[in-house]
Amino acid sequence: MTTRKPLISGNWKMNYTHLDAIAVVQKLTYTLLPADYDRADVSVHPSFTALRSVQTMLDADGIPIALGAQDVHPAESGAFTGEVSPSMLAKLNVRYVIVGHSERREHFGDTDAFVNQKLLAVLKHEMIPILCVGETLAEREAGFIEDKVVGQLEAAFDGVPAQAAEGLVVAYEPIWAIGTGRTASPDDAQAVCKAIRSWLASHYRTDVADKVRVQYGGSVTPTNIAELMAQSDIDGALVGGASLDAEKFAQIVRLGRTAS
Ligand code: PGA
């Protein structure tokens, strides 16, 4: 039985204007109850253009939903047209920053080394990285799951001291399950999440590995969340499509939170 508080995160990707974002958060706050927040941490990750509006709303009404970003550039400032720096996010009270999402790696060329730089930059600004790792279908079929994930972990955690590592979140997201309606079976997801924790234990220490929250991501819905969360090494979910619907996302939080 895990004592780690679940973290349920909604990754909205490139959806919703700042006006839509406010409406969704509003709906979410009508639905979620104090017991939900007590038994799960909840974060929403709107587009950069909606961060300020959502932050203002969360702060003004004292809503215990954490603000998250979907990505960041590792540099402090400079000639990086179109990018957003870690201090820009930190100033908006952003708590969680997704780094190494497979869509960034696939469409925008984020390498393992660049993901490592982003992760270090997020930590430096006292925010919490949600590091995404996961294999493609071809890699799964070739039996290359753990090697792929461990390789991504080795690179991403390079230069991260144990003290910082224990506060991190790792999201296991099999690429073939993202946005496809196909989910890893609870057993398969558990096996990889356990392998992630074992790597953390061997790279750092068992007490560090025990503190890291490992999320599962990939077509999470109200229908499959409970059986995923029943696994001992799954501590939450990174939810894409289903998080766009406030009612569905609230249901996922409720079914994913700890029982008491
Ligand atoms: P999905 O996305 O829930 O739509 O599969 C998950 C993610 O990409 O984080």
Side-chain angles (χ1 to χ4, degrees), residues 83-102:
E83 292 295 307
V84 170
S85 78
S87 55
M88 292 171 183
L89 298 180
K91 275 277 180 233
L92 290 171
N93 290 344
V94 164
R95 184 162 172 76
Y96 298 98
V97 184
I98 298 171
V99 295
H101 191 282
S102 61

Side-chain angles (χ1 to χ4, degrees), residues 9-11 13 98 101-103 132 171 173-175 177-182 216-221 237-243:
S9 304
N11 172 16
K13 308 190 181 184
I98 298 171
H101 191 282
S102 61
E103 286 152 16
C132 299
E173 298 207 303
I175 295 165
I178 295 177
T180 58
R182 295 182 60 189
Y216 167 80
S219 298
V220 172
T221 65
L238 183 54
V239 187
S243 74

Side-chain angles (χ1 to χ4, degrees), residues 223-245:
T223 313
N224 58 30
I225 182 70
E227 53 182 9
L228 288 162
M229 290 302 293
Q231 306 302 313
S232 55
D233 286 293
I234 300 180
D235 310 313
L238 183 54
V239 187
S243 74
L244 295 173
D245 180 320

Side-chain angles (χ1 to χ4, degrees), residues 72-76 86-87 115-127:
V72 68
H73 190 281
E76 291 287 332
S87 55
V115 171
N116 171 245
Q117 285 180 38
K118 290 183 177 190
L119 190 148
L120 292 171
V122 171
L123 287 173
K124 191 173 166 202
H125 288 267
E126 295 176 353
M127 298 179 288

Side-chain angles (χ1 to χ4, degrees), residues 32-250:
L32 290 173
L33 302 169
D36 298 319
Y37 300 118
D38 285 350
R39 298 179 205 163
D41 288 337
V42 181
S43 67
V44 292
H45 300 246
S47 301
F48 288 134
T49 52
L51 283 175
R52 175 65 173 149
S53 309
V54 173
Q55 181 226 352
T56 306
M57 185 183 166
L58 295 177
D59 286 359
D61 297 343
I63 300 161
I65 293 175
L67 188 58
Q70 300 175 14
D71 192 32
V72 68
H73 190 281
E76 291 287 332
S77 63
F80 300 102
T81 302
E83 292 295 307
V84 170
S85 78
S87 55
M88 292 171 183
L89 298 180
K91 275 277 180 233
L92 290 171
N93 290 344
V94 164
R95 184 162 172 76
Y96 298 98
V97 184
I98 298 171
V99 295
H101 191 282
S102 61
E103 286 152 16
R104 297 292 323 168
R105 295 180 192 258
E106 188 187 338
H107 305 305
F108 304 98
D110 283 19
T111 61
D112 278 342
F114 199 44
V115 171
N116 171 245
Q117 285 180 38
K118 290 183 177 190
L119 190 148
L120 292 171
V122 171
L123 287 173
K124 191 173 166 202
H125 288 267
E126 295 176 353
M127 298 179 288
I128 300 173
I130 297 181
L131 167 70
C132 299
V133 296
E135 82 287 354
T136 63
L137 190 57
E139 287 161 346
R140 168 161 287 259
E141 283 167 352
F144 189 64
I145 307 167
E146 276 186 33
D147 288 346
K148 168 76 180 288
V149 167
V150 164
Q152 289 177 320
L153 292 171
E154 297 263 4
F157 277 88
D158 190 25
V160 178
Q163 207 188 349
E166 65 183 36
L168 249 99
V169 179
V170 179
Y172 167 54
E173 298 207 303
I175 295 165
W176 49 271
I178 295 177
T180 58
R182 295 182 60 189
T183 322
S185 73
D187 285 349
D188 285 351
Q190 162 61 19
V192 183
C193 292
K194 188 174 175 195
I196 290 169
R197 206 175 304 285
S198 301
W199 179 84
L200 289 163
S202 64
H203 190 78
Y204 294 102
R205 299 184 309 267
T206 313
D207 63 304
V208 172
D210 282 345
K211 286 185 186 139
V212 172
R213 291 188 285 186
V214 181
Q215 294 178 316
Y216 167 80
S219 298
V220 172
T221 65
T223 313
N224 58 30
I225 182 70
E227 53 182 9
L228 288 162
M229 290 302 293
Q231 306 302 313
S232 55
D233 286 293
I234 300 180
D235 310 313
L238 183 54
V239 187
S243 74
L244 295 173
D245 180 320
E247 233 165 82
K248 269 194 202 159
F249 187 58

